[in-house]
Structure formats: structure tokens, C-alpha cells
Amino acid sequence: MDGRAELLIAGECADLGMIAARSAGIWIGLALDDAAHAALRRDGLDPAALRLTGLHPFEFVPAQGGVQVVAHANDNESAEALLDLFRVYFLRRLLA
């Protein structure tokens, strides 16, 4: 996968292993949940275009002043779309 997009979340660096595990759980649930797909469509995202199957696409890296989220995909455009998904769907669930 050559595509990559990054997002910095400001704040204290929490347990990155726990964040990654929770994110992977959200990813698995998202791939199986039709109601979640409907919610994504309401938020303006296309679940089919996001390819919600396969390996968990997010990596969490400690960064100065926060946590860096890296989305991996086949191309940069797809990686940016995954970061949009992260902002809309994952972020509020991870920080809840």
C-alpha cells in the first residue's frame, strides 16, 4: 500500500496499544454493521467506496503534543477518504 495520509490529534498521549485495539474493534464492527453504513451515508461518506473490509488501515504513533494517526491505503486519495472516515466515525467513539 503506497497511499498514506496523516492526522495529528492534540492532547496527552494515551495508551496507544489500547487505542489501536479499540480502533480495530470499531473497524471490524463497521464492516459488519448495516446500520453503521446507513449512518456513514447520512454523514456524506460512501461505505462501498471506502472498502471497509480487509486489514485495519490506521496506525497510531506518538507525536509531540499528541497522537499521529496514519491511514494506509492503495493510493493517497483513498488514504484521505479513510482519514475522513476516522474523523467522522472513529474519533468520537475512541474518545468517548
Side-chain angles (χ1 to χ4, degrees):
M1 288 199 250
D2 295 334
R4 177 183 173 105
E6 301 173 359
L7 167 72
L8 179 64
I9 301 171
E12 289 187 32
C13 186
D15 181 358
L16 295 181
M18 182 185 68
I19 291 173
R22 288 182 64 199
S23 180
I26 293 168
W27 178 257
I28 291 167
L30 184 58
L32 303 172
D33 187 357
D34 290 335
H37 290 201
L40 290 176
R41 283 189 289 277
R42 282 192 304 272
D43 288 334
L45 299 173
D46 180 8
L50 291 170
R51 297 186 182 127
L52 300 174
T53 59
L55 297 176
H56 179 251
F58 302 114
E59 175 185 0
F60 301 91
V61 181
Q64 185 173 14
V67 176
Q68 182 178 8
V69 181
V70 181
H72 298 279
N74 290 332
D75 56 53
N76 288 342
E77 185 178 323
S78 297
E80 287 292 339
L82 286 172
L83 271 188
D84 288 342
L85 170 68
F86 186 85
R87 287 181 194 102
V88 168
Y89 193 81
F90 281 67
L91 196 55
R92 63 181 158 208
R93 286 163 178 79
L94 283 175
L95 301 179

